[in-house]
Amino acid sequence: MKSKILLIVCDGMGDRLIDGRTPLEAAKKPNMDRISAKGINGIMDTVGVGIRPGSDTSHLSLFGYNPFEVYTGRGPFEAAGAGIEMKTGDIALRCNFATIKDGKISDRRAGRDEYGLDELSRDIDGMRIQGTELIFKRCKGHRAVLVLRGRDLSPCVSDTDPEKPEILYKKSTPLDKNPNSKKTAEILNEFTERTVKILSDHKINKERVKNRKLPANILLSRGAGVKPELQSLGERYGLRAACISATSLIKGVCRTIGMDVIEVDGANGHIDSNIHLKADAAIKALKDYDFVFLHIKGTDEASHDGNFNAKRGMIERIDNEVIRRVLQNSGDITIALTADHSTPINLKEHSADPTPIAILGDVRTDLVNSFSERDCSRGDIGRICGRDLMNILLDISNRARLFGA
Amino acid sequence: MKSKILLIVCDGMGDRLIDGRTPLEAAKKPNMDRISAKGINGIMDTVGVGIRPGSDTSHLSLFGYNPFEVYTGRGPFEAAGAGIEMKTGDIALRCNFATIKDGKISDRRAGRDEYGLDELSRDIDGMRIQGTELIFKRCKGHRAVLVLRGRDLSPCVSDTDPEKPEILYKKSTPLDKNPNSKKTAEILNEFTERTVKILSDHKINKERVKNRKLPANILLSRGAGVKPELQSLGERYGLRAACISATSLIKGVCRTIGMDVIEVDGANGHIDSNIHLKADAAIKALKDYDFVFLHIKGTDEASHDGNFNAKRGMIERIDNEVIRRVLQNSGDITIALTADHSTPINLKEHSADPTPIAILGDVRTDLVNSFSERDCSRGDIGRICGRDLMNILLDISNRARLFGA
């Protein structure tokens, strides 16, 4: 009677209107439409009505956790994504390799060029400042993680990442009166100064400049946080759960709530990712797991680049390479298709516009026959909060616990 | 200006699709459809989105109480339903007369045969174990209530009812480290052992076996709880309120929140219940009460039996014998028609699928003209939580208090 559950999240897939239609409305996506037509549809505020979610807070919410209660910052999830086991008292931050020129940040991602970043990372890892150990580990692309391990640290410090180019990098400042926050900000600022010195003279950066690449000569950090104490998905729902994602932050969220992370070759989080292999991995994982979460990042990347056609193309690829495969090969399961948030093309940033959601399974099929933001909003699910999704999926798959008698 | 309120709850009436339609969609129910057509419609998560409600938690929520805050277990409501006045410190449990054979539970309801259960109950009532008084009282059918009265008791004990047949009955175990829980579990286990002895040799059971009935030779208990401290419906909403229900648990919930319980001859909670007499009693009660709650159980019974035609038939009976009567005879009142939860035929258990709700009265009539799960979901009420229903009914009947100035 119980069915397996497959949750497919296309990152940032929701959008607003460009020339009267959203990328989803413009895309040819017969397989997504089949889910809508045979399923039940609605719209979802992943974190809350009018709340612009990050990818971490939205996914926490999609898995049933209240980010307003449990979110401690991006850093710890990046650390978990990078495979660093955080200890109580550790502070983790997400870092970017970036380019500084004439004192200003000229590129927040060092041209997204990965040349030599591994070597740079090795030379940065392992500093000690004010008796604190600094663990530095590179993730994909220009991304990295910094973990501060020592006594009397605090996550209440401001970011050094200004989050936009062409301005000075910021000094970290304490965000409260706790002396630990002052100490942590000092450590972070000294880390930044020391790394600027290490990086600016580094032979890798000389090679980068020689090869007309931007130098990776500063590290910008943000999202300081302690390890969140979260009940696992298994304890919470009795589910054996697996995650398939190329995105370190998302893998980190999933690891933190006890999901197994399945790695897929060629899955890179870009619009040229090997998503059909991710679909195959998900179908395979459904044999061993009760709940499989399949995350596809390309839609969000195209959105941040403001590229309507690329986003529409990515949606069509997902339709053909993921949804078609899943519908053909996964048998009698419960499937939910949605986005973690909207990333409107004209904004190039996350927005709080609700996302479409379609669920296929033992549901009361409604009248919607096309999967898009506006079509789904006329479906019988109505408008729900992301935090309720897991309970709905557990109910539809006949796995929900009875409350009362 | 104020109108009277009649809330009609058809237990477990919501469903999923069987051959493309729900029992409500398949039923001929012109009077329910009249409520939808002249009224306003929606769907309702009685306890919460994706939460599978019990009958007790769902009714608490329908009456405006948050079961996540106030629910203490099924036992106390069963006790109240059976007319036992609980005292502070008492622990109440719901019991089933059941059949044990070769050490295994062969029937959880002793064949639903009531022969001799009153006499058996009298012989069980009044034990003393570890200084604790054990009050045992039979309810309808195979159901009974056990109240433990004494010092140092705890509701944190597991059930002895395995909730499915063909396995051993369970020993009660403490659910926390409190020594009172250990003591209470011991009392419960000794009660079970002693009753097995009393029942297995009892002349009533010899007669039952002789007459080819299953012996009622064990008592299974569940839902231990203390008396919940609830504000009455009168205090909460200023309503004089009456309940008409054949179901002990529901009567218990209503008594606990200070409603008068009106008994109706021939109302038995089954699909052959005298529901037209319940309708007449409700119409009559509306003269004396502001708020009348009419509960009909048969739809849930047919659902638990997995009998689509019986459920459809029961819906048609309710339409003709209850709704028609009420519409003809109750005058200018506010009527709400809904279910406390869905009990899909193919599940035979409660599910979290939202229930349809239609409200007739001084409302902004919408476009829905048929009462069913899917039709109502397209109505102007949208999707609401059961806990909001009382406030909506108070407002429509012009009884709501102003908040603010």
Side-chain angles (χ1 to χ4, degrees):
Chain A
M1 253 340 227
K2 283 182 189 173
S3 69
K4 304 269 179 143
I5 304 168
L6 174 61
L7 170 61
I8 304 170
V9 174
C10 304
D11 206 299
M13 182 163 61
D15 213 303
R16 294 180 184 171
L17 304 187
I18 303 277
D19 293 332
R21 54 189 196 167
T22 69
L24 262 175
E25 289 173 348
K28 211 184 139 207
K29 40 161 186 49
N31 299 291
M32 292 186 183
D33 292 345
R34 240 175 92 198
I35 295 181
S36 283
K38 295 194 167 184
I40 188 164
N41 301 269
I43 51 172
M44 186 163 67
D45 302 286
T46 46
V47 172
V49 176
I51 305 295
R52 276 183 65 207
S55 289
D56 42 13
T57 50
S58 66
H59 278 87
L60 279 172
S61 196
L62 287 176
F63 296 132
Y65 301 81
N66 186 345
F68 291 110
E69 289 170 7
V70 305
Y71 186 63
T72 60
R74 171 180 195 147
F77 295 118
E78 294 279 5
I84 299 176
E85 284 264 347
M86 281 182 76
K87 296 184 180 172
T88 303
D90 286 359
I91 307 293
L93 297 106
R94 152 76 187 267
C95 296
N96 270 20
F97 277 102
T99 305
I100 188 169
K101 197 182 167 186
D102 305 331
K104 286 182 181 170
I105 306 302
S106 65
D107 191 303
R108 278 187 61 243
R109 298 179 186 91
R112 285 189 189 271
D113 193 303
E114 305 187 17
Y115 179 80
L117 298 189
D118 276 335
E119 191 174 334
L120 295 179
S121 298
R122 279 193 298 272
D123 289 352
I124 288 163
D125 183 32
M127 284 183 201
R128 280 194 88 86
I129 302 173
Q130 292 193 32
T132 298
E133 183 187 355
L134 280 77
I135 303 157
F136 184 82
K137 190 168 176 184
R138 201 195 146 203
C139 310
K140 286 203 174 155
H142 56 281
R143 303 172 189 92
V145 173
L146 174 66
V147 173
L148 311 184
R149 180 165 292 164
R151 284 199 190 157
D152 303 329
L153 302 172
S154 155
C156 295
V157 294
S158 70
D159 300 341
T160 65
D161 188 342
E163 298 258 11
K164 41 190 166 187
E166 293 309 327
I167 58 170
L168 297 171
Y169 78 87
K170 295 182 173 172
K171 287 223 163 197
S172 180
T173 53
L175 298 175
D176 61 16
K177 305 263 184 205
N178 183 341
N180 296 354
S181 305
K182 183 163 170 282
K183 175 184 172 184
T184 308
E186 285 169 5
I187 293 170
L188 205 54
N189 289 326
E190 187 168 339
F191 167 78
T192 309
E193 281 171 35
R194 282 204 209 173
T195 50
V196 166
K197 274 186 206 147
I198 293 170
L199 293 171
S200 49
D201 295 334
H202 204 285
K203 70 173 198 296
I204 286 288
N205 272 324
K206 290 178 181 156
E207 288 168 24
R208 284 175 69 104
V209 170
K210 201 170 126 195
N211 296 317
R212 303 188 168 223
K213 297 175 193 298
L214 293 176
N217 55 9
I218 189 166
L219 282 161
L220 305 175
S221 59
R222 58 188 155 128
V226 297
K227 182 183 177 184
E229 299 297 339
L230 296 174
Q231 204 182 25
S232 78
L233 217 59
E235 290 164 341
R236 203 174 174 89
Y237 301 117
L239 292 175
R240 219 171 111 68
C243 153
I244 297 170
S245 170
T247 308
S248 188
L249 177 63
I250 304 302
K251 288 195 275 196
V253 171
C254 291
R255 275 203 190 109
T256 305
I257 57 172
M259 291 169 78
D260 288 345
V261 172
I262 295 171
E263 301 289 354
V264 176
D265 280 348
N268 59 20
H270 302 306
I271 58 170
D272 63 351
S273 177
N274 256 339
I275 56 175
H276 69 282
L277 295 182
K278 291 173 82 171
D280 289 344
I283 293 161
K284 185 157 170 278
L286 281 163
K287 297 198 200 320
D288 298 324
Y289 293 89
D290 307 315
F291 175 82
V292 175
F293 160 64
L294 173 56
H295 172 255
I296 296 165
K297 182 72 178 167
T299 34
D300 194 51
E301 189 177 74
S303 309
H304 281 289
D305 291 343
N307 189 332
F308 186 95
N309 287 336
K311 187 167 184 177
R312 179 178 55 186
M314 189 66 204
I315 291 167
E316 293 180 346
R317 277 196 65 208
I318 295 169
D319 186 78
N320 187 47
E321 297 178 38
V322 176
I323 309 297
R324 186 174 57 80
R325 258 184 164 70
V326 161
L327 290 178
Q328 281 173 356
N329 300 306
S330 62
D332 204 13
I333 63 169
T334 299
I335 300 176
L337 171 64
T338 190
D340 58 343
H341 51 75
S342 295
T343 309
I345 291 290
N346 59 3
L347 271 191
K348 301 185 189 178
E349 282 182 8
H350 300 185
S351 79
D353 301 270
T355 63
I357 163 99
I359 305 175
L360 191 63
D362 189 4
V363 296
R364 302 193 298 227
T365 305
D366 61 25
L367 301 177
V368 175
N369 50 32
S370 177
F371 182 79
S372 77
E373 300 85 347
R374 293 192 284 187
D375 288 295
C376 287
S377 69
R378 289 159 205 145
D380 288 358
I381 290 178
R383 183 170 185 159
I384 57 171
C385 177
R387 215 139 54 246
D388 296 321
L389 179 64
M390 284 300 294
N391 283 333
I392 293 177
L393 295 179
L394 289 169
D395 181 57
I396 290 173
S397 62
N398 302 324
R399 293 172 174 277
R401 293 177 190 138
L402 189 71
F403 172 49
Chain B
M1 249 340 228
K2 283 183 188 174
S3 68
K4 304 268 179 143
I5 304 166
L6 173 62
L7 169 61
I8 305 171
V9 173
C10 304
D11 206 301
M13 182 162 61
D15 213 302
R16 294 181 183 171
L17 306 185
I18 302 277
D19 293 332
R21 54 187 196 169
T22 68
L24 261 175
E25 290 174 347
K28 213 184 137 206
K29 42 165 182 46
N31 299 291
M32 292 185 182
D33 292 345
R34 239 175 92 200
I35 296 181
S36 283
K38 296 193 168 185
I40 189 166
N41 302 269
I43 50 173
M44 187 163 65
D45 302 286
T46 47
V47 172
V49 176
I51 305 295
R52 273 182 68 206
S55 289
D56 41 14
T57 51
S58 66
H59 278 85
L60 279 171
S61 196
L62 287 176
F63 296 133
Y65 301 81
N66 186 344
F68 289 110
E69 289 169 5
V70 304
Y71 185 64
T72 60
R74 173 182 196 143
F77 296 117
E78 294 278 5
I84 301 176
E85 284 265 346
M86 280 182 78
K87 296 184 181 173
T88 304
D90 286 1
I91 307 294
L93 297 108
R94 152 77 189 265
C95 296
N96 270 20
F97 278 101
T99 305
I100 188 169
K101 196 183 166 183
D102 305 331
K104 286 182 181 171
I105 306 301
S106 65
D107 190 303
R108 277 188 61 242
R109 299 179 185 90
R112 286 189 190 270
D113 194 303
E114 305 187 16
Y115 179 81
L117 298 189
D118 275 334
E119 189 174 337
L120 294 179
S121 298
R122 278 194 297 274
D123 289 352
I124 287 163
D125 182 32
M127 284 183 201
R128 279 194 88 85
I129 300 173
Q130 293 193 31
T132 297
E133 182 187 355
L134 281 77
I135 303 158
F136 184 82
K137 190 167 176 185
R138 200 196 147 203
C139 309
K140 287 206 173 154
H142 56 280
R143 302 171 189 92
V145 173
L146 173 66
V147 172
L148 312 183
R149 179 165 292 166
R151 284 200 192 156
D152 303 330
L153 301 173
S154 155
C156 296
V157 295
S158 70
D159 300 341
T160 64
D161 187 343
E163 299 259 10
K164 43 191 165 188
E166 293 308 329
I167 58 171
L168 297 172
Y169 77 89
K170 293 183 174 174
K171 287 223 162 198
S172 180
T173 53
L175 298 175
D176 62 16
K177 304 262 182 203
N178 182 340
N180 296 354
S181 305
K182 184 163 169 281
K183 176 183 171 186
T184 308
E186 284 169 8
I187 292 170
L188 205 54
N189 289 326
E190 186 167 339
F191 168 79
T192 308
E193 280 170 37
R194 282 205 209 171
T195 49
V196 165
K197 273 186 206 144
I198 293 170
L199 293 170
S200 49
D201 295 335
H202 204 285
K203 71 172 196 298
I204 286 286
N205 272 324
K206 288 178 183 154
E207 287 168 24
R208 283 175 69 103
V209 171
K210 200 171 127 195
N211 295 316
R212 303 188 166 222
K213 297 174 193 299
L214 292 175
N217 55 9
I218 190 167
L219 282 161
L220 304 176
S221 58
R222 57 187 156 129
V226 298
K227 183 183 176 185
E229 299 297 338
L230 296 175
Q231 205 183 22
S232 78
L233 217 58
E235 292 163 339
R236 203 175 175 91
Y237 301 117
L239 292 175
R240 219 172 111 68
C243 152
I244 298 169
S245 170
T247 307
S248 187
L249 178 63
I250 303 301
K251 288 195 274 195
V253 171
C254 291
R255 275 205 189 109
T256 304
I257 57 173
M259 291 168 78
D260 288 345
V261 171
I262 296 171
E263 301 287 354
V264 176
D265 279 349
N268 60 19
H270 301 306
I271 58 171
D272 62 353
S273 177
N274 257 340
I275 55 174
H276 68 281
L277 295 182
K278 291 173 81 170
D280 290 343
I283 293 161
K284 183 157 172 279
L286 282 163
K287 299 199 199 320
D288 299 324
Y289 292 90
D290 306 315
F291 175 82
V292 175
F293 161 64
L294 173 56
H295 172 256
I296 296 164
K297 182 74 179 167
T299 34
D300 194 52
E301 188 178 76
S303 308
H304 281 289
D305 291 342
N307 190 333
F308 186 95
N309 288 335
K311 187 167 183 177
R312 179 178 56 186
M314 188 67 204
I315 291 167
E316 293 179 346
R317 277 196 66 209
I318 295 169
D319 185 79
N320 185 48
E321 297 178 37
V322 176
I323 309 297
R324 187 173 59 78
R325 257 183 164 72
V326 162
L327 289 178
Q328 282 173 356
N329 300 306
S330 61
D332 204 13
I333 63 168
T334 299
I335 301 177
L337 171 63
T338 190
D340 58 343
H341 51 75
S342 295
T343 309
I345 291 288
N346 60 2
L347 272 190
K348 300 185 191 179
E349 283 182 8
H350 301 186
S351 81
D353 299 272
T355 63
I357 162 100
I359 305 175
L360 190 62
D362 189 3
V363 296
R364 305 193 296 231
T365 304
D366 61 25
L367 300 178
V368 175
N369 51 31
S370 176
F371 182 79
S372 78
E373 298 86 347
R374 294 193 285 187
D375 288 295
C376 286
S377 70
R378 287 150 211 160
D380 288 357
I381 291 178
R383 182 171 187 159
I384 57 171
C385 178
R387 215 138 55 245
D388 296 321
L389 179 63
M390 284 301 293
N391 284 334
I392 293 176
L393 296 179
L394 289 168
D395 181 57
I396 289 172
S397 62
N398 302 324
R399 294 172 174 276
R401 292 176 190 140
L402 187 69
F403 172 52

